[in-house]
Amino acid sequence: MDALSAGPKGVVLTERQRIAWLRLIRSDNIGPATFRDLINHFGSAEAALAALPELSARGGATRAIRIASEAEAHRELEAARRFGARFVGIGEPDYPQALKQIDGAPPLLAVKGALAAAKRPAVGIVGSRNASIAGAKFAAMVARDCGRAGYTVVSGLARGIDTSAHRASLDTGTIAALAGGLDQPYPPENIGLLEEITGGNGLAVSEMPFGWEPRARDFPRRNRLIAGIGLGLVVIEAATRSGSLITARLAGEFGRLVFAVPGSPLDPRCHGTNGLLKDGASIVTAPADVIEALAPLAQFDLFPSSMAEKPAPDGKAMSVPPGDSDRNRIIDALGPTPVEIDDVIRHTGLSASAVYLILLELDISGRLHRHQGGLVSLSD
């Protein structure tokens, strides 16, 4: 059943590449999608780093872009080493296979613990922080049975449902996705649980720098890791406006199976899960419902390695920089409303390579906003 854990895939980064990747993702205005586009265009992180000042200037930046230095990258690598952690790149064998396929997958993950947990098929379990006794008990049942069936359980280390899911799968393997740096776990009362996870058969993962204290806006970003690592997501007790519903929405966008546990219509903690069922989520009344639905997915290698995610060879930009008239044509075509890049290409009549390069310039200069699903708009 574990086609995803059948063997290592990918290419290991050299130490020089890892430093360059870390510098690039830690530089200003470089997110996962921008990182990917830069690597695809320039062929390597080192070439992209060298091009950043010119790209930013051409995009209309009013000040010089801050580029992370080699010394900063070395300090973070050393901080990870002292903490017993390491960085895994998106093309490497130890990177979670399902996660690398999502829109905006992190180029680098800081990881600590048993890397084997990331090589098995996984299922996410999330829900209310203020969980009921029944909800916490059911979360533990699902996590325990899924673990025994060969799945790694993924959650967010939060109070309530997350805690129950992690504890029930300590022996079989669990992944805790953190909103802050690996050395800044939240909430504080789960520090002991995190140590149990990383000291045993589990793994902690984060895309944030060491020392980064989680803020409110970091938790939805963390939620996409939970949604992306698993083949499916089980939601147990979620209010109408909750982070669990954000995770469920992302899981649906990533093509994952979304499961929901029904609850009393009189309990506000169940309004969100009942709403998911109305919207088409699969109903779960026993752990077997999840295991049976995921079994066909775990039989096949749904996430083959591809050259696009492997460390690129050193190379040079593939096209001559576009002129100001082309750049102005794209700026005039964009606005505050998100649009698809293909529509920009059709509307302007420019080549795809020219459009992508100009969008990169605008992005790095801070003038472009990227949206879920590959949409773009001009920043305010």
Side-chain angles (χ1 to χ4, degrees):
M1 67 146 279
D2 53 348
L4 290 180
S5 58
K9 306 171 186 176
V11 175
V12 177
L13 289 166
T14 66
E15 191 65 12
R16 178 174 173 175
Q17 284 176 314
R18 200 177 309 278
I19 291 170
W21 278 39
L22 188 56
R23 289 182 63 200
L24 187 58
I25 194 59
R26 297 293 189 246
S27 296
D28 280 355
N29 300 333
I30 309 297
T34 309
F35 183 100
R36 178 201 61 212
D37 289 348
L38 284 166
I39 295 293
N40 287 342
H41 183 77
F42 291 99
S44 73
E46 285 186 287
L49 285 164
L52 285 182
E54 183 180 353
L55 289 172
S56 178
R58 291 206 309 255
T62 56
R63 60 181 178 85
I65 185 173
R66 187 197 68 82
I67 300 173
S69 67
E70 284 195 34
E72 290 174 288
H74 278 292
R75 282 196 295 270
E76 189 168 359
L77 288 172
E78 177 59 22
R81 188 193 64 77
R82 291 196 305 268
F83 194 69
R86 52 172 290 206
F87 287 94
V88 177
I90 195 171
E92 297 191 283
D94 292 328
Y95 194 93
Q97 294 298 309
L99 180 63
K100 72 178 184 179
Q101 299 294 332
I102 72 168
D103 185 27
L108 285 172
L109 277 178
V111 299
K112 180 181 181 181
L115 288 167
K119 297 182 181 181
R120 293 191 296 270
V123 58
I125 301 178
V126 297
S128 174
R129 288 176 171 83
N130 182 31
S132 68
I133 294 174
K137 183 176 180 179
F138 191 74
M141 289 173 55
V142 174
R144 190 175 298 112
D145 285 11
C146 284
R148 290 170 178 167
Y151 294 92
T152 294
V153 171
V154 188
S155 200
L157 201 72
R159 304 178 183 95
I161 298 299
D162 290 24
T163 296
S164 296
H166 284 309
R167 287 202 176 281
S169 53
L170 282 172
D171 290 339
T172 55
T174 184
I175 295 177
L178 275 58
L182 285 186
D183 57 344
Q184 298 292 328
Y186 183 87
E189 59 261 38
N190 273 350
I191 291 176
L193 172 59
L194 183 61
E195 291 174 349
E196 290 185 72
I197 291 171
T198 58
N201 296 322
L203 186 69
V205 302
S206 172
E207 64 181 306
M208 305 306 287
F210 276 80
W212 185 275
E213 295 185 10
R215 300 164 297 179
R217 67 182 184 185
D218 296 322
F219 288 92
R221 187 171 180 170
R222 179 277 313 269
N223 292 349
R224 93 186 193 290
L225 301 184
I226 301 171
I229 292 173
L231 297 176
L233 178 76
V234 184
V235 185
I236 305 171
E237 293 186 346
T240 302
R241 300 175 65 86
S242 65
S244 297
L245 293 191
I246 294 175
T247 311
R249 174 180 59 79
L250 291 169
E253 291 176 355
F254 297 155
R256 308 305 194 243
L257 295 181
V258 178
F259 305 90
V261 178
S264 169
L266 300 180
D267 188 343
R269 289 173 295 197
C270 300
H271 290 176
T273 45
N274 290 341
L276 287 174
L277 292 170
K278 290 180 181 179
D279 292 337
S282 299
I283 189 170
V284 175
T285 58
D289 296 332
V290 179
I291 296 169
E292 291 172 5
L294 291 178
L297 301 180
Q299 292 288 340
F300 303 102
D301 188 357
L302 299 178
F303 308 103
S305 183
S306 66
M307 292 302 295
E309 286 124 6
K310 293 180 182 178
D314 289 341
K316 297 181 180 180
M318 296 175 59
S319 62
V320 176
D324 288 340
S325 61
D326 291 342
R327 194 171 294 107
N328 291 334
R329 192 184 308 178
I330 288 180
I331 292 172
D332 290 341
L334 293 173
T337 303
V339 296
E340 294 182 2
I341 296 177
D342 284 347
D343 288 337
V344 178
I345 296 171
R346 283 191 290 268
H347 180 81
T348 60
L350 298 173
S351 68
S353 59
V355 170
Y356 274 100
L357 183 53
I358 291 170
L359 293 179
L360 261 179
E361 294 171 356
L362 295 174
D363 193 1
I364 293 166
S365 67
R367 300 175 65 188
L368 190 78
H369 183 62
R370 292 180 182 265
H371 303 266
Q372 193 70 31
L375 304 178
V376 296
S377 66
L378 280 184
S379 300
D380 296 333

